Amino acid sequence: MTNHCCGPGYASPAEAMRAPREKLLYTIAIYTGTGIQKPDYLCTIDVDPQSPTYSQVISRLQMPGIGDELHHSGWNACSSCHGDASMERKYLIVPGVRSSNLHIVDCGTDPRNPTLFKVIDGAEIKARTNLSAPHTVHCLGSDIIVSMLGDAQGNAPGGYLQLSKEFEIVGRWENSMGGIKFGYDFWYQPRHNVMVSSEWAAPNTFMPGFDLEEVGHLKYGREIHFWDFEKKEPRQTFYLGEDGLIPLEVRFHHNPDSSHGFVGAALSANIIHWWKDAAGDWQWEKIVDVENEPHPEWPIPIPGVISVILLSMDDRYLYLCNWLHGDIRQYDISDPHNAKLTGQVWMGGLLGRAPEVNGVKVTGGPQMIQLSLDGKRLYVTTSLFSTWDNQFYPEIRTNGGCMLMVNCDTENGGMAIDPRFVVDFGKEPNGPSRCHETRYPGGDCTSDIWV
């Protein structure tokens, strides 16, 4: 919410927690990989409990082409611009991982009915920067940077695309990729002059589907990288080994003075915590280890596959999803060295603990999450990536994805799935689609950074 004195976002995480309750969500929905020859689209979902269309899709913005594989998205401006009255959180940048197109969506003019403002063509990005496969979008003051997972041919390590606030291609953001092998997610903490980036794999490796042998052949990441943010170059790499196979989502504390941060290692199903010690050196440790679970149809015990993590605005709780097991967990991380499990709910997954929730058969598992600014509502979607969905949850082609809401006890810890809220993407007008990342018009726990 903007006011007359300031720019977008909030003066502090505490102020963000006092913001009005969210009434709309924007969620990616995809047909890529489903066999339905329709464009992917951006859904607007009504989450105002007083509204007659509560828990329903109220508008759909189709992309111009087919086969984008919309995945993650990010705002043109966040709380890092709070002091700049010329900035407005109006545009959502919605990349296509497969097409490398960047769709600039106007969510500000009519928040209930977003419109397409501009498309930055993937072919132009490749030609001008030798980068492809856009993933994470972060506002960087007035500019925007996007992690790009590959070069123009789909090989690693990729790099970082910089856009101006007018959505023109500036070029590559980084001055060097150093010895970095792969790209994925990133988060920066300017008061410590640091950016941390994580690793998935080359687009040519992950796009066709998941092959466990390729992990053994070192085609998937197991390192995190600490950058000199001002010099735009990596300064230190931590090799996480077997504890850090495929480190994906990176989250710093929201408190900009803090050096504490976390990454979820998907295949190891571990949470890695890092911090700066008294001597000013970066350290890391494993604080959560999700045990593999046996399955009658699997030759090996099933790993949880931590596909996402998220921190509440007050940095008290860490949430994670085990996409293959089917559970969402809440940990109290008041002491970041000592995570305490305080809540757990089940939806979908391969272990069969909750195949149906709120009358909907859940195909897939809890995958992407977004937390309300006050920390009380967690919105959960079920699709990871089209080819991986088809591999692990083949019925998702016919059943589609779904969105659920989890009520979170912020006082004592604890979670419960809300019985009133479900969005069944198996019943979309053009056939079953899948839902992935979610954003709020007012900013959220995974996009806002304070400087």
Side-chain angles (χ1 to χ4, degrees):
M1 312 299 289
T2 53
N3 56 32
H4 296 299
C5 72
C6 305
Y10 306 95
S12 67
E15 188 182 300
M17 293 185 75
R18 292 191 291 269
R21 176 179 173 143
E22 71 285 351
K23 294 187 176 179
L24 298 173
L25 305 181
Y26 302 120
T27 299
I28 298 302
I30 70 162
Y31 282 122
T32 302
T34 65
I36 295 172
Q37 292 300 303
K38 294 282 185 181
D40 299 344
Y41 55 108
L42 184 70
C43 287
T44 307
I45 296 170
D46 185 338
V47 291
D48 178 359
Q50 308 308 315
S51 168
T53 52
Y54 177 64
S55 182
Q56 294 176 29
V57 178
I58 56 171
S59 69
R60 298 170 181 86
L61 174 64
Q62 288 194 347
M63 299 302 115
I66 291 176
D68 281 304
E69 184 120 2
L70 305 182
H71 194 58
H72 285 226
S73 61
W75 291 106
N76 69 305
C78 78
S79 292
S80 66
C81 310
H82 183 65
D84 184 350
S86 71
M87 296 292 291
E88 184 183 2
R89 192 185 332 241
K90 181 177 181 181
Y91 297 101
L92 193 62
I93 297 99
V94 184
V97 181
R98 291 184 187 273
S99 66
S100 298
N101 296 329
L102 298 181
H103 308 89
I104 315 300
V105 176
D106 178 351
C107 297
T109 303
D110 180 358
R112 296 175 70 86
N113 294 282
T115 54
L116 189 62
F117 174 72
K118 179 179 180 177
V119 178
I120 304 173
D121 186 61
E124 184 187 358
I125 293 170
K126 290 176 185 178
R128 290 183 54 184
T129 64
N130 189 32
L131 292 171
S132 73
H135 191 271
T136 301
V137 179
H138 271 304
C139 146
L140 196 69
S142 60
D143 280 20
I144 297 149
I145 52 175
V146 185
S147 61
M148 307 290 287
L149 307 193
D151 64 14
Q153 286 72 46
N155 301 310
Y160 294 83
L161 172 68
Q162 184 172 352
L163 303 175
S164 71
K165 62 182 174 184
E166 289 79 29
F167 310 113
E168 299 295 333
I169 297 172
V170 176
R172 291 178 76 134
W173 171 80
E174 80 282 0
N175 289 321
S176 166
M177 288 295 283
I180 289 177
K181 301 178 186 73
F182 307 104
Y184 184 68
D185 197 22
F186 70 101
W187 194 286
Y188 64 97
Q189 200 74 314
R191 292 186 190 179
H192 294 276
N193 185 33
V194 69
M195 177 175 103
V196 175
S197 68
S198 61
E199 298 189 331
W200 191 9
N204 292 340
T205 300
F206 70 76
M207 282 191 184
F210 180 66
D211 180 349
L212 187 60
E213 282 190 7
E214 292 188 316
V215 177
H217 296 156
L218 305 182
K219 288 192 170 184
Y220 280 88
R222 49 187 74 186
E223 295 180 335
I224 55 173
H225 309 282
F226 288 69
W227 294 63
D228 185 312
F229 189 57
E230 289 170 5
K231 292 184 178 173
K232 306 180 183 180
E233 59 190 30
R235 185 165 55 190
Q236 187 175 7
T237 288
F238 285 142
Y239 175 74
L240 306 176
E242 297 299 308
D243 279 334
L245 298 176
I246 318 185
L248 294 182
E249 302 288 325
V250 173
R251 307 285 185 243
F252 264 106
H253 270 171
H254 293 99
N255 172 7
D257 286 327
S258 173
S259 69
H260 293 274
F262 307 83
V263 65
L267 191 60
S268 308
N270 295 329
I271 300 296
I272 305 295
H273 163 231
W274 69 78
W275 71 99
K276 194 188 277 186
D277 67 16
D281 297 323
W282 293 101
Q283 306 288 347
W284 72 273
E285 65 187 351
K286 176 176 72 173
I287 58 166
V288 172
D289 190 340
V290 175
E291 294 294 323
N292 294 356
E293 296 268 0
H295 189 284
E297 293 164 30
W298 273 54
I300 57 168
I302 298 180
V305 178
I306 296 177
S307 53
V308 69
I309 67 169
L310 176 152
L311 302 188
S312 60
M313 269 294 170
D314 58 4
D315 298 326
R316 180 177 170 188
Y317 292 108
L318 180 148
Y319 294 88
L320 66 82
C321 289
N322 287 305
W323 185 61
L324 290 188
H325 286 180
D327 61 317
I328 308 162
R329 298 188 183 192
Q330 176 197 58
Y331 287 87
D332 186 325
I333 53 161
S334 303
D335 173 1
H337 301 280
N338 181 25
K340 295 176 183 164
L341 181 65
T342 48
Q344 185 178 29
V345 292
W346 294 86
M347 54 180 282
L350 293 175
L351 301 181
R353 308 254 167 98
E356 188 175 296
V357 181
N358 293 355
V360 172
K361 184 177 180 353
V362 180
T363 312
Q367 208 296 114
M368 285 307 288
I369 47 179
Q370 192 56 264
L371 186 66
S372 60
L373 292 172
D374 64 7
K376 294 180 178 175
R377 292 165 301 284
L378 190 73
Y379 298 92
V380 190
T381 55
T382 50
S383 161
L384 189 147
F385 188 72
S386 62
T387 40
W388 294 40
D389 291 347
N390 294 344
Q391 203 174 337
F392 293 100
Y393 296 105
E395 289 184 333
I396 201 166
R397 281 177 173 270
T398 47
N399 294 349
C402 71
M403 175 187 277
L404 295 167
M405 184 174 87
V406 178
N407 294 316
C408 303
D409 184 336
T410 57
E411 294 294 315
N412 311 302
M415 309 168 74
I417 293 175
D418 192 296
R420 282 188 60 211
F421 186 92
V422 62
V423 184
D424 183 356
F425 284 84
K427 295 189 165 67
E428 282 293 274
N430 287 322
S433 71
R434 304 169 193 180
C435 41
H436 194 66
E437 197 184 44
T438 298
R439 294 276 177 221
Y440 305 132
D444 46 62
C445 292
T446 58
S447 63
D448 272 43
I449 291 174
W450 279 267
V451 297

